[in-house]
Amino acid sequence: MPTITPAHLHELLASTDRDAALVVVGGHAAIVSPMPGGRGEPADAMVITTRDAVIAELDTGANDEQLERLAQRLDTALDSLGG
C-alpha cells in the first residue's frame, strides 16, 4: 500500500495556504501548513513536496492521471529513501 496517494496531492492542491506541504511522519503522509513564527511540520517530519512545487510541476490544469503518476513517483522516491 502506498504512503503517498493522489488523494494527498488533491488535498495539498486544495489548501488555501501557499506554504502548505506534504510530509511523512511515522510512515504516514499528512498535509501541514506553517504556523506564524514557526515551522508547520513536526520535528521528525520529512517534507516530500510543497503546494507550489506541485503546481509548478503539473500546471493548473492537472488531471487525475497526472496526479496518479506524480503520487507514484513521490512514493517510489520515498521508498528508495527507506521511508
Side-chain angles (χ1 to χ4, degrees), residues 46-74:
M46 177 187 298
V47 176
I48 302 302
T49 192
T50 63
R51 180 181 176 275
D52 283 348
V54 172
I55 289 171
E57 175 147 347
L58 299 178
D59 205 3
T60 56
N63 61 39
D64 287 339
E65 185 178 317
Q66 290 171 306
L67 291 174
E68 175 71 34
R69 285 195 309 261
L70 179 56
Q72 288 175 351
R73 285 196 332 257
L74 292 171

Side-chain angles (χ1 to χ4, degrees), residues 7-22 30-34 49-52 54-55:
H8 293 115
L9 297 177
H10 277 288
E11 183 181 349
L12 182 61
L13 289 172
S15 174
T16 57
D17 186 344
R18 290 191 61 203
D19 295 323
L22 171 62
I31 307 303
V32 297
S33 295
T49 192
T50 63
R51 180 181 176 275
D52 283 348
V54 172
I55 289 171

